[in-house]
Amino acid sequence: MNKILLIIRREYLSRVKKKSFIIMTFLTPLIIAGFYGLIIYFSIKGINDKTDKVAVVNQNKTLTEKLTSNKNVTYVYVNDSFESLKKTLKKSDYDYILYLPDFDIDKPAGIELIGTKQAGLSLDGRISDSIEDLIRDYKLKKSGISQTDLDNLKSNVKIDTKKIGDTGKEENSSAGASTIIAFVAGVLMFMFIMLYGVQVMRGVIEEKTSRIIEIMISSVKPFQLMMGKIIGIAMVGLTQFLLWIVLTFSISALAVTVFINKDDAQKIVSSSAQVSAANPSAQQVQAAAMTNGPLGNIQQSLQNLDLAKIILVFIFYFLSGYLFYSALYAAIGSAVDSETETQQFMMPVMMPLLLGYALSLSVVTNDPYGSVAFWLSMIPFTSPIAMVVRLPYGVPAWELALSMFILVIGFIGTVWFAARIYRVGILMYGKKASVKEMAKWFWYKN
């Protein structure tokens, strides 16, 4: 055990003292905080401040009502012909030309949008929606509905979603907040397992090719060496993750003050009766922006989530999932002489992780209680990602306990399997390993 601890200490200190580790540890929270500030900034300013000027050539005898302009699109009805406008478009102050032919109102066709540059999806969608609204209003008016009744038909609906917790009490919930946490947790889990798993593999290859391993094996057993390397790098990842949490929360307020100017701050803060508008602090701006802005509902719902539980479960699945996959990466590293030879073995190991990542961020987020989500969170190859994605939506305690138990059994089995390959492969040189050859190593006696 003392030898394993020495190896853990060496792996840990050799990595945390690197300049790249220190730089990325402090740089990543700054990037996250920057994105956080940008989200608040764009939620207040609006993503698209540009107004496109569209010349409308309406030859439709049925649609006599005009399209309604908004902050993103200004419609200008012109009497010029479509062909003449196309010839002079580059010299005119119009961005696009919208041509409305005399189509059948039940089957709109032949509508064209022409500009000197390609129209984006957002502009195309806005114009399509405007035309659809115009056609719908025409049909409703034709059926005898007045304009006043049409205006009264439009309603803004806000639903307060709640769920009954384990205690039987109602709890506020939000699909948006749960989805945000699920996506962040899934991406981080995938990134951490891949990043630190590959570090284990590269470390094994480096020691093997430099022949340092021959000296180390004379003092420690291959299993001790493998476990020391795996656990040491796991501690590096855990240290970096915890530092990211602390640093991200610490500099979030600073990011808000950078991306929101004084006028915006006064505007946001003045909307909150509980905050002084005279001289708003960064914390006040952040609180008011997230409470009164477009992200207010999500922010309030995030506060209702058990973030401490989510973080603790995330740490467990990170460590367990990392141990599960890093043992396989260590076995791959011991079987090859260079990183270029790892490709044939990497794909079978990466595919379950990629499958779990893809399905978790698509199927699981849409149906977190379905059978696919359940089995993905139980199978050790996919459970590290699937379970942390499901957790914000609420997972029964027995499912969480069963998943944890299966994953622990899984990484114990994986470590045992990988160790039998590692003990032989680590001393093999000059011979390209194959799956058949590695199978023979597994059955070798000590």
Side-chain angles (χ1 to χ4, degrees):
M1 190 64 188
N2 290 333
K3 293 179 180 179
I4 294 179
L5 292 175
L6 286 173
I7 297 170
I8 292 173
R9 183 173 179 272
R10 171 186 173 273
E11 294 292 335
Y12 181 81
L13 294 178
S14 65
R15 282 171 168 77
V16 297
K17 289 180 178 180
K18 288 182 178 179
K19 290 182 179 180
S20 58
F21 175 87
I22 297 173
I23 291 172
M24 289 307 300
T25 299
F26 286 93
L27 184 61
T28 301
L30 287 173
I31 295 173
I32 294 174
F35 278 117
Y36 184 63
L38 281 172
I39 290 172
I40 298 175
Y41 175 81
F42 284 120
S43 68
I44 298 165
K45 285 286 189 180
I47 295 177
N48 188 4
D49 290 333
K50 181 179 180 295
T51 300
D52 292 303
K53 192 173 182 180
V54 179
V56 182
V57 179
N58 186 13
Q59 295 184 351
N60 193 287
K61 298 177 182 178
T62 305
L63 294 179
T64 56
E65 295 289 337
K66 293 185 177 182
L67 294 169
T68 304
S69 301
N70 53 53
K71 66 176 183 178
N72 298 122
V73 184
T74 299
Y75 297 104
V76 179
Y77 280 74
V78 295
N79 295 322
D80 298 338
S81 67
F82 183 44
E83 295 299 327
S84 63
L85 275 176
K86 285 195 292 184
K87 294 178 181 178
T88 60
L89 178 60
K90 290 184 177 181
K91 298 179 180 179
S92 68
D93 59 346
Y94 299 119
D95 296 302
Y96 299 94
I97 303 172
L98 176 63
Y99 175 63
L100 301 176
D102 192 17
F103 53 77
D104 184 354
I105 202 69
D106 293 320
K107 297 179 180 179
I111 301 173
E112 296 183 31
L113 180 66
I114 296 178
T116 55
K117 55 186 177 181
Q118 177 66 45
L121 284 175
S122 59
L123 177 63
D124 184 85
R126 291 189 186 100
I127 295 177
S128 297
D129 291 341
S130 297
I131 297 174
E132 288 173 2
D133 290 343
L134 203 63
I135 294 173
R136 182 197 59 198
D137 290 348
Y138 168 80
K139 290 181 177 180
L140 289 173
K141 287 180 180 178
K142 189 177 179 181
S143 65
I145 300 176
S146 65
Q147 183 63 47
T148 304
D149 293 332
L150 280 176
D151 295 336
N152 292 333
L153 287 175
K154 301 175 183 179
S155 302
N156 294 322
V157 179
K158 178 183 177 183
I159 300 176
D160 293 328
T161 57
K162 297 182 178 181
K163 66 178 181 180
I164 299 177
D166 297 334
T167 60
K169 295 182 180 180
E170 291 184 359
E171 300 175 356
N172 292 327
S173 64
S174 169
S178 299
T179 302
I180 288 173
I181 295 294
F183 266 80
V184 171
V187 170
L188 287 178
M189 182 64 71
F190 177 78
M191 182 180 69
F192 282 156
I193 291 177
M194 285 290 295
L195 175 64
Y196 296 109
V198 171
Q199 282 192 27
V200 171
M201 183 185 69
R202 288 175 176 170
V204 172
I205 295 174
E206 182 181 353
E207 290 175 352
K208 181 179 177 180
T209 53
S210 64
R211 299 297 180 95
I212 296 175
I213 199 71
E214 294 178 355
I215 301 173
M216 299 177 70
I217 289 296
S218 64
S219 303
V220 297
K221 294 180 180 179
F223 178 79
Q224 294 174 324
L225 180 62
M226 186 184 77
M227 286 305 299
K229 184 175 290 293
I230 290 173
I231 296 174
I233 295 177
M235 291 179 64
V236 173
L238 186 60
T239 300
Q240 196 167 49
F241 173 69
L242 294 176
L243 285 173
W244 283 352
I245 293 177
V246 174
L247 293 171
T248 299
F249 280 105
S250 299
I251 61 179
S252 292
L254 179 62
V256 172
T257 59
V258 170
F259 289 106
I260 299 180
N261 59 36
K262 184 77 173 180
D263 294 335
D264 290 330
Q266 296 287 353
K267 181 172 61 175
I268 297 168
V269 176
S270 62
S271 64
S272 176
Q274 299 176 351
V275 181
S276 173
N279 186 21
S281 65
Q283 290 79 6
Q284 289 173 324
V285 174
Q286 182 184 19
M290 297 307 293
T291 302
N292 301 292
L295 302 178
N297 293 334
I298 292 178
Q299 175 70 7
Q300 293 175 6
S301 299
L302 286 174
Q303 295 175 355
N304 295 322
L305 293 174
D306 191 349
L307 294 179
K309 177 183 177 182
I310 292 174
I311 291 173
L312 290 174
V313 172
F314 181 92
I315 291 173
F316 172 85
Y317 276 93
F318 161 65
L319 293 175
S320 301
Y322 163 80
L323 289 171
F324 184 90
Y325 276 99
S326 62
L328 298 176
Y329 281 116
I332 293 173
S334 68
V336 299
D337 293 334
S338 65
E339 194 170 340
T340 56
E341 298 177 15
T342 63
Q343 301 305 316
Q344 59 177 324
F345 303 113
M346 285 281 287
M347 188 56 66
V349 175
M350 290 175 58
M351 281 304 296
L353 190 63
L354 288 170
L355 180 65
Y357 174 76
L359 292 178
S360 295
L361 298 186
S362 57
V363 178
V364 175
T365 53
N366 289 318
D367 186 14
Y369 305 105
S371 57
V372 174
F374 173 81
W375 288 111
L376 284 175
S377 60
M378 293 298 156
I379 300 172
F381 285 95
T382 57
S383 64
I385 297 179
M387 184 53 81
V388 297
V389 169
R390 285 186 66 196
L391 194 63
Y393 298 96
V395 178
W398 71 268
E399 287 189 21
L400 183 61
L402 180 60
S403 175
M404 288 179 170
F405 175 76
I406 295 174
L407 183 56
V408 170
I409 298 299
F411 82 68
I412 290 174
T414 305
V415 169
W416 173 79
F417 171 82
R420 294 187 64 83
I421 297 175
Y422 183 91
R423 65 197 171 104
V424 179
I426 200 67
L427 295 174
M428 288 288 184
Y429 298 97
K431 182 180 181 180
K432 287 189 176 182
S434 62
V435 175
K436 184 177 179 180
E437 188 70 23
M438 293 172 68
K440 290 181 181 179
W441 298 349
F442 178 81
W443 294 109
Y444 283 167
K445 293 183 179 180
N446 291 330

